[in-house]
Each structure stands twice: as C-alpha cells, then as structure tokens.
C-alpha cells in the first residue's frame, strides 16, 4: 500500500518536473506531447498499470493546463486541441497497458522457463533415483539368490557329512581312539553347522529377505529346541530347566531366539568348569509385566572382561587382566563372535541381552523379550 | 523273520541320497533310491515301498509333484526333507498329504525316530486305546492316565489331545486343529489354539518346563511325540 502510494507520488513528481522543464525550455506542443508519452511509457513499465493510468491522466491534465490555450485553465479553446488531447490520453493509456502486458508476458515467460528447468531437473533426479533403486533392487535380488545358493551349498554337504559321521561312528565301535576322533569330528561339524546357521540368519536379516516372524512361543519350547541343538552339552553336564508357572509366552521369532539361547549355552558350557550345572530359567520380568526374562546361568569364572552389565563389544575385545593369559587369548575372540551374534539376533527379536555377575560366582546371561498377549482361556 | 520295511529315498544330491540309504540299511531297513520326483514315482510304482523319504527342491520334477502323484494312488507314509526357514514349504507339503518333515541338517537319530513313528502309525489298526510311555488315553471312556494320576480335561482340551495323539509323531497344523476341534468356528484364531494347547500341556505334562508329549513346531503347529528323542 505504502509502496503503491510512493510510486504514485513519484509518478506525479516526474510529470511535474517534466512540465516545469518543458515550460522553461519553451518546448512546443507536439514535442511536449511526445515527452509526456515517453514519461508515461517509462512510468507504466516501472510502476505497473495503475501508475501508468494515473500518470496518463496527470500528463493529460498538465498538457492541457500548460500547453493548450487558454493557458493555466482546464478549458480548451480550439476544438482541434480537444482531438489532440483525447488522442494523447487514449495513446498514453493504451501505451501503459501494452507496456504492462509486455512486461507481464516477459515475466510469465521467465517463470515458465524456470518451471520447465525445474521440471527437467526433477525428471533428471527422478531418473537418477529410479536407476539407483533399480540397482539396489538388482543387488538385493543378487544378494538373495546368492544367499539361497550359498545356504543350499553349505547345508547340503553339512547334511552329508553328518551322515558319513554316522557310518564312522559305527565303524569306531570298540576302537577307543577312532571313537574319540569321530566324536571330535562330530562336535566340530556341529559347531560349524551352528555358526553357519548364525551367519546365514544374520545375512538373511541383513538382506531383508527374512524379516523376523514373531509368534507366541512358550519358553519351554525354546529351551527344548535349544537343548536338541546341543546334544553334546546335555550329554556332558547337567542342564536344568525351570519355567515359572506364571511366566507368559514370549512374542518372538522362535528360530532366532533358539539360536540366541544356543549361543549362550555354548558360551556357558565353555566357561563353566566340568561337573557344574547350566541352568535355564524363564520368568516374568520383575518390573515390566509386558516383558519376560530368559536366563542362562553358569558357574564359570564370571565375565571379568565384561565388568558392566551391557554386552559391549569394545569392552569384551580387551583381554582381562584377571583372566589367565591363555584364557584371554583363546576364549575371548570365540566368546566375542557368539555373543555378538546373540546380541544382534536378540535385537532383531525386539529383545536385549545383558551379562551380569551371578551371586555366588558365575555369569547370568539375561535375555529380555516381549511377552505375548494371548487371550485368556475360556472357563469351560 | 519278518521282512525288513522298504524305504524309498528321493534326493538329487548323491551324497545325501547314498548316505541316507546306507544309514537306513544299517538301521535294519531295505533302501532304494531315486534322484528326482519323476524317477521317484516310477520307483514307487515298481517297488511299492513302506515309506518314502523325499527332498522338496529337485530339478525337473520336485518333491511336491511326487507327493501329489503318490497321494493319487496310495496312503504310504511320506517324510519330507526340508530346509531351515522353509515353513511355507513344510505346510504345503503337509497339505498335499505328506506325513512329517525333518529339517536339514538333521541328525540321523532324529530321522530314524521319525521313520519309526510313521511305520508304526501306518501299520496299526484304528484303536480307541492309545498307549504311550507313562500315558494311556482311553478315547471311548474319555479317560487319561499320566504316570499314576488321572488327568481331567475340558471337552476342548480332550478333543485337542485326541487329535494330536491319534496323529502321534506327525505334525498337526494350526489350520487342521481349528478345522477339527473348533469345526472352523468363526473367530477361532491361531492364538485360540495356542491358549488351549497351553492349558492342555499344563495339565498333561508332568514337568511343564520340559514338555515330553506335546511340542510346538514353529509356524506350523504342534506335534505329539510318540517316542522321546
């Protein structure tokens, strides 16, 4: 508003200055008319239609008052001057309009050019993104099919090895040394199999091929499945299982959590002295009704390399000063991989894993998992 | 001396195929082999085996085709060799008429236990008195004795137990349980089944922390264990 008033004022000033200049310079009528026209043209170009129109009117009035006799009045004596003045007014208004329209069109053209440019840039970006997505999808497909092939190519020989070990075992009956070697091969093959399972599971999760599929699962089933995966552990030491009567089912991907528990039992088995039991316990979370704690408890040397509760890879990587040198060099890396995998898989199951010092010696690996929300049974 | 049961092994991998045949023979069975579904069905027609052990993914003609072909002509027990994460395939195979599955890499002991359970099932006459280790189920009198104690169930639990025990050693899918026990009643979900199996187990299992009769098959359903592994 103020801007427009300012412009109008400047237009009036321009017409005034022009009139004074033309009068002082004693210019004749036609020359003054052209000068006014020029001024209106520039004012319209600069200020827009309103400024142009007001300048036209002012110029017409000034032209009349100062250049057509009788001078200094709005009246006009000669009828031909009426024609001249009207022509001037019409011309100046038309010029203002034309100038303004030309300016607007130029402006629109510029805007359209910018829009087209922006569209072109958008399209280019879109094409780039599409190419990128395509590449991603292709790499995902490649990863998936690679994973399937690797999985098949690893599982098939492992299954065959298992079958051949059975033949060896029969052959070894009554031959102590061969029996021992066969048992060792079986144990290592089983460990290899578990590790391959772990890595394939992680790779599948990573490739997004196998998102975790949670379903209500009873902790007893998880413990049983984990125990079946580790026949050598259950054969060589006592593994007790206790599920609290009021312990809810957990809402987890059973395959993932069984792998986590297997890794934790393996860890405990390596750490705990022979003859001590490993205890598997499931109970309601002490403070959160929507969570369940699954624990693997051992009587090992504890986890001096893990002074803090949370499993932290950096802390674990540092050999503990209190553990024997041999323990530190041979056990820590192996513990590390198993625990690292366990932690990743627990996380994928909306859970968390922590290792805490067990009272009376040893370690408690505590898996914190979401409880399943099952309807209550009908009272039939 | 009774004739040894004949088992047909169908797998495209020679290591697994021959290894399985050797272990089956070592366990007292007679074994014959084929390398894909088509050859498997031809061998099935030629030898009329007592049990079929088949892989699912095979070139040319796969395990699903073999199951369908066999179910078109016979009720011979079929045990499928499945892979980890292959639950949809397991359910599809069961729906086509397979009786059981083992997941690669399996232990020989586990596999032989499944084979024994299937052969026992297919040989037995229909009966109303089911006997398992420490457990007797009298279907006619609706009486269940576990160890020394008589266990009482609700009608739903009893129907579940009957379905599972009649299929002892064979996985029963959640869909089958809803169809048979709840007669497909609307609003019956997998969670309904889980809740009732939960109460059934609490009453049936002598130690609920270590279930020995009813165990879950993730994403598939439940299995009544005919013999402890």
């Amino acid at each position: 508003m103020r801007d427009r008033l300012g412009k109008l004022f400047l237009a009036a000033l321009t017409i005034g200055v022009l009139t004074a200049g033309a009068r002082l310079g004693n210019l004749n009528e036609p020359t003054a008319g052209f000068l006014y026209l020029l001024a209106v043209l520039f004012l319209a170009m600069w200020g827009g239609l309103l400024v142009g129109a007001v300048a036209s009117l002012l110029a017409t009035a000034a032209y009349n008052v100062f250049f057509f006799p009788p001078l200094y009045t709005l009246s006009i004596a000669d009828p031909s001057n009426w024609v001249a003045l009207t022509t001037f007014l019409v011309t100046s208004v038309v010029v203002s309009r034309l100038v303004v329209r030309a300016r607007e069109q130029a402006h629109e053209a510029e805007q359209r050019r910018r829009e087209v440019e922006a569209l072109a840039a958008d399209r280019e970006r879109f094409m780039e993104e599409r190419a990128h997505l395509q590449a991603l999808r292709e790499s995902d497909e490649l990863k998936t099919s690679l994973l399937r092939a690797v999985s098949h190519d690893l599982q098939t020989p492992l299954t065959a090895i298992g079958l051949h070990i059975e033949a060896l075992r029969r052959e070894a009956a009554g031959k102590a040394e061969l029996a021992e070697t066969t048992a060792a091969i079986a144990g290592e093959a089983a460990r290899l199999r578990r590790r391959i399972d772990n890595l394939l599971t992680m790779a599948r999760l990573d490739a997004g091929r196998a998102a975790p599929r949670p379903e209500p699962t009873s902790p007893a089933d998880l413990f049983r499945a984990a125990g079946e995966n580790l026949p050598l552990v259950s054969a060589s030491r006592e593994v007790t299982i206790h599920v609290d009567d009021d312990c809810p089912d957990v809402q987890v991907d059973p395959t993932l959590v069984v792998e986590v528990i297997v890794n934790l039992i393996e860890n405990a088995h390596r750490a705990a002295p022979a003859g001590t039991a490993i205890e598997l316990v499931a109970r309601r979370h002490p403070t959160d009704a929507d969570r369940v704690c699954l624990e693997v408890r051992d009587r090992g040397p504890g986890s001096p390399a893990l002074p803090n509760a949370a499993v932290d890879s950096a802390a674990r990587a540092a050999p503990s000063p209190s553990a024997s040198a041999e323990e530190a060099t041979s056990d820590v890396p192996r513990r590390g991989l198993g625990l690292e995998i366990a932690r990743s898989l627990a996380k994928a199951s909306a859970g968390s894993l922590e290792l805490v010092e067990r009272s009376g010696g040893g370690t408690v690996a505590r898996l914190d998992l979401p409880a399943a929300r099952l309807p209550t049974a009908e009272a039939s | 001396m009774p004739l040894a049961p004949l088992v047909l092994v169908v797998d495209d991998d020679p290591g697994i195929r021959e290894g399985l045949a050797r272990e089956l023979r070592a366990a007292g069975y007679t074994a014959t082999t084929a390398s894909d579904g088509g050859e498997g069905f031809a061998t099935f027609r030629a030898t009329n085996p007592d049990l079929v052990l088949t892989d699912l993914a095979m070139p040319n003609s796969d395990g699903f085709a073999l199951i369908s072909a066999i179910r078109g002509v016979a009720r011979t027990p079929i045990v499928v060799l499945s892979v980890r994460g292959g639950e949809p395939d397991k359910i599809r195979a069961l729906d086509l008429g397979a009786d059981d599955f083992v997941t690669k890499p399996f232990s020989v002991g586990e596999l032989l236990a499944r084979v024994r359970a299937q052969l026992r099932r297919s040989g037995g006459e229909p009966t109303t008195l089911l006997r398992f280790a420490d457990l007797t189920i009298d279907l006619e009198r609706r009486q269940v004795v576990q160890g020394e104690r008589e266990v009482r169930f609700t009608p739903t639990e009893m129907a579940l137990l009957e379905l599972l025990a009649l299929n002892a050693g064979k996985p029963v899918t959640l869909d089958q349980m809803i169809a048979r026990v709840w007669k497909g009643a609307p609003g019956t979900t997998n969670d309904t089944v889980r809740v009732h199996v939960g109460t059934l187990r609490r009453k049936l299992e002598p130690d609920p922390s270590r279930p020995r009769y009813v165990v879950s098959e993730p994403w598939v359903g439940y299995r009544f264990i005919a013999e402890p592994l």
Side-chain angles (χ1 to χ4, degrees):
Chain A
M1 189 67 206
R2 253 172 103 168
D3 187 40
R4 190 172 292 171
L5 277 176
K7 278 183 176 176
L8 290 174
F9 175 73
L10 265 174
L13 193 68
T14 307
I15 298 297
V17 168
L18 185 66
T19 307
R23 284 301 295 173
L24 287 175
N26 250 335
L27 297 180
N28 64 8
E29 291 153 35
T31 314
F34 281 116
L35 273 179
Y36 279 126
L37 214 50
L38 206 62
V40 168
L41 191 145
F42 279 117
L43 283 168
M45 210 151 73
W46 163 74
L49 195 56
L50 182 71
V51 171
V54 170
S56 298
L57 288 171
L58 285 175
T60 308
Y63 199 16
N64 175 6
V65 170
F66 293 104
F67 291 93
F68 290 103
L71 294 182
Y72 314 118
T73 66
L74 278 171
S75 57
I76 293 163
D78 188 348
S80 73
N81 282 344
W82 268 111
V83 176
L85 203 60
T86 311
T87 310
F88 174 82
L89 178 62
V90 171
T91 309
S92 68
V93 168
V94 169
V95 161
S96 312
R97 286 210 51 159
L98 283 177
V99 161
V100 167
R101 175 140 4 126
R103 204 181 62 154
E104 274 171 7
Q105 276 173 352
H107 184 68
E108 268 170 33
E110 169 71 9
Q111 206 159 4
R112 237 174 272 143
R113 191 183 61 81
R114 281 199 197 135
E115 274 168 19
V116 168
E117 271 179 10
L119 274 178
D122 276 357
R123 185 168 177 277
E124 200 168 316
R125 198 163 48 235
F126 174 72
M127 297 295 279
E128 269 171 25
E129 271 169 20
R130 211 174 67 155
H132 183 59
L133 278 177
Q134 179 77 16
L136 271 183
R137 196 160 37 231
E138 272 167 16
S139 99
D140 255 12
E141 272 165 24
L142 183 70
K143 245 196 287 189
T144 300
S145 60
L146 207 65
L147 210 58
R148 192 176 296 139
V150 168
S151 175
H152 178 263
D153 285 2
L154 292 175
Q155 307 285 10
T156 302
L158 274 174
T159 306
I161 288 172
L163 291 167
H164 296 318
I165 289 173
E166 280 315 304
L168 258 183
R169 217 196 289 271
R170 278 198 310 279
E171 197 65 32
K175 298 171 197 162
E177 200 179 333
L178 187 55
E180 205 174 301
T181 312
T182 308
I185 294 174
E188 295 304 317
R191 204 169 86 191
L192 183 62
R193 191 195 78 196
R194 286 193 297 276
R195 204 52 85 221
I196 287 173
D197 279 356
N198 284 166
L199 294 175
L200 286 175
T201 303
M202 300 247 288
R204 279 196 199 99
L205 285 174
D206 191 43
R209 186 168 102 84
R213 289 181 301 159
E215 66 167 7
T217 306
S218 102
D221 283 322
L222 293 171
F223 286 150
R224 182 187 56 82
E228 278 175 9
N229 262 291
L230 293 165
L232 293 179
V233 174
S234 354
S236 64
R237 70 165 75 231
E238 193 186 359
V239 179
T240 67
I241 300 178
H242 178 77
V243 179
D244 273 4
D245 283 341
D246 70 340
C247 180
D249 286 358
V250 284
Q251 182 72 18
V252 296
D253 184 316
T255 317
L256 291 185
V257 175
V258 166
E259 283 191 49
V260 174
I261 299 172
V262 164
N263 280 4
L264 297 179
I265 296 176
E266 267 187 300
N267 263 326
H269 179 58
R270 263 200 301 272
T276 59
I278 291 176
E279 295 167 32
L280 310 180
V281 177
R283 57 194 175 86
R284 202 179 266 283
H285 192 284
T287 55
D288 188 345
D290 292 330
R291 311 286 295 179
V292 171
C293 292
L294 304 190
E295 295 180 347
V296 177
R297 304 174 178 171
D298 68 52
R299 287 290 181 204
S303 305
L306 298 157
N308 302 318
V311 179
D312 174 20
S313 55
R316 191 169 352 91
S320 137
S322 57
S324 74
E326 194 191 6
E327 177 82 359
T329 50
S330 71
D331 197 46
V332 165
R334 276 189 294 158
R335 258 191 111 105
L337 183 58
L339 279 182
E340 198 57 52
I341 290 169
R343 187 176 59 158
S344 300
L345 297 183
K347 218 164 138 189
S349 284
S352 63
L353 172 64
E354 59 173 7
L355 295 195
V356 291
E357 211 71 30
R358 186 178 179 192
S359 70
T363 303
V364 177
R366 182 174 299 145
L367 201 52
D368 180 328
L369 298 168
R373 292 166 184 274
L374 284 175
T376 45
E378 72 201 31
S380 57
Chain B
M1 185 178 145
L3 214 56
L6 174 64
V7 178
L8 167 60
V9 178
V10 187
D11 197 311
D12 59 323
D13 184 82
I16 292 180
R17 192 170 63 230
E18 298 312 323
L20 275 174
R22 191 187 55 224
E23 290 313 306
L24 287 164
R25 287 182 194 118
Y29 299 97
T30 309
T32 174
T33 62
S35 61
D36 70 13
E39 194 192 332
F41 190 58
T43 314
F44 179 87
R45 298 297 288 263
T47 61
N48 191 24
D50 298 293
L51 184 140
V52 178
L53 206 54
T54 181
D55 193 13
L56 284 178
M58 288 179 287
N60 305 322
S61 162
D62 65 14
F64 300 111
L66 177 63
I67 296 168
S68 304
I70 292 177
R71 279 295 167 262
V73 297
R75 300 188 53 182
T76 312
I78 302 174
V79 177
V80 163
L81 307 175
S82 175
V83 291
R84 254 165 58 90
E87 281 75 24
D89 283 351
K90 290 177 187 171
I91 293 176
R92 186 176 159 211
L94 291 176
D95 285 344
L96 282 173
D99 296 275
D100 201 356
F101 53 78
V102 286
T103 307
K104 288 181 194 173
F106 46 80
S107 79
V108 173
E110 183 186 356
L111 178 78
L112 291 177
R114 299 283 164 83
V115 167
R116 276 196 299 276
Q118 289 307 323
L119 287 172
R120 196 164 40 222
R121 266 167 40 76
S122 66
E125 290 295 308
T127 174
T128 59
L129 191 67
L130 307 172
R131 290 180 191 280
F132 304 95
D134 282 337
L135 179 72
T136 310
I137 304 171
D138 187 334
L139 294 178
E140 215 157 323
R141 294 163 61 197
R142 305 203 151 267
Q143 198 179 44
V144 179
V145 178
Q146 196 283 311
E148 301 286 301
R149 65 195 175 109
E150 186 178 344
V151 192
R152 301 198 170 277
F153 296 105
T154 66
T156 305
E157 290 160 3
M158 192 63 208
L160 269 175
L161 178 61
E162 185 178 333
L163 177 64
L164 287 165
L166 281 173
N167 289 283
K170 175 177 171 173
V172 181
T173 66
L174 292 165
D175 283 348
Q176 287 168 352
M177 293 163 95
I178 291 172
R180 297 289 297 278
V181 175
W182 281 269
K183 317 270 184 263
T188 314
T189 64
N190 291 348
D191 283 352
T192 315
V193 178
R194 290 192 180 101
V195 167
H196 285 87
V197 170
T199 59
L200 166 67
R201 286 165 107 183
R202 268 194 287 281
K203 293 179 185 177
L204 179 69
E205 298 288 352
D207 178 4
S209 294
R210 287 179 180 269
R212 56 181 281 196
Y213 297 116
V214 179
V215 299
S216 77
E217 284 291 348
W219 298 294
V220 177
Y222 292 90
R223 173 199 299 276
F224 193 96
I225 303 181
E227 66 175 296
L229 285 176

